[in-house]
Amino acid sequence: MGVSGAGKTTVGRRLAADLGWSFYEGDDFHPDANVRKMTAGIPLTDEDRLPWLRSLRALVERCLATGEDAVIACSALKESYRRLLAEGLDGVRFVHLTGDPRLIAERLEQRAGHFMKPGMLASQFTALEPPENAVVVDVTGSPEEITAEVRRRLSLPTAQSSASS
């Protein structure tokens, strides 16, 4: 979880690949109306996010019910969103990718082809309610370093040991 440009997709894909787990991009679960708003540079409201969050909750429940290990990249900026996603479910862990807003803005500026506009980053930092029960990982390093830190902090196997298991 984290603001746009924090590296959720990059780190999430790498982590899932290292572990042999499924990866789901939370943005793919947004209704078309949300994508249109964000493409136009209009921040989403809590009401806009509700169908998206419900879809992600259903995904989490399905993964847990079937025993599918998965990484889901999702902003989950507010405590109420995280509660909706995971309340009452065992086995869900949040990792908050965080860092200096200037660094994240620079990375967001370099990203092409995404509906999230760099001008909307400030609204995400404003909406962000830092989680109390999450692993917090700084995004200053390389994707490899960040992924290794996530694995270490979650006590997950290293890329080498998961490949040989």
Side-chain angles (χ1 to χ4, degrees):
M1 61 147 294
V3 298
S4 189
K8 297 180 301 292
T9 299
T10 300
V11 171
R13 282 185 201 279
R14 182 176 296 275
L15 180 64
D18 284 355
L19 297 169
W21 292 6
S22 300
F23 174 78
Y24 295 96
E25 171 56 66
D27 287 342
D28 294 342
F29 292 78
H30 273 293
D32 289 340
N34 286 5
V35 174
R36 284 193 300 273
K37 277 183 95 168
M38 290 183 284
T39 300
I42 302 168
L44 299 179
T45 65
D46 286 349
E47 185 178 325
D48 292 331
R49 286 186 177 91
L50 195 54
W52 172 65
L53 291 165
R54 286 181 177 147
S55 292
L56 290 173
R57 168 69 184 224
L59 171 64
V60 171
E61 289 175 341
R62 181 183 59 78
C63 288
L64 290 170
T66 62
E68 177 185 359
D69 292 319
V71 175
I72 302 171
C74 166
S75 55
L77 297 176
K78 294 185 178 183
E79 181 60 32
S80 62
Y81 303 168
R82 294 186 293 274
R83 270 196 315 271
L84 196 151
L85 290 169
E87 190 168 58
L89 302 176
D90 292 330
V92 177
R93 299 285 310 270
F94 287 96
V95 175
H96 180 198
L97 298 181
T98 188
D100 182 278
R102 290 173 300 206
L103 172 65
I104 293 173
E106 287 172 16
R107 290 180 178 174
L108 196 55
E109 289 285 347
Q110 295 171 6
R111 187 165 70 178
H114 193 275
F115 56 76
M116 178 68 178
K117 303 301 179 207
M120 294 169 55
L121 183 58
S123 71
Q124 288 209 326
F125 274 109
T126 299
L128 176 64
E129 296 172 1
E132 293 180 17
N133 298 314
V135 169
V136 179
V137 177
D138 185 83
V139 298
T140 303
S142 69
E144 296 81 9
E145 292 167 328
I146 298 164
T147 304
E149 180 64 10
V150 170
R151 283 194 316 264
R152 186 186 73 72
R153 300 278 307 280
L154 291 174
S155 300
L156 297 170
T158 63
Q160 294 79 19
S161 66
S162 66
S164 64
S165 320

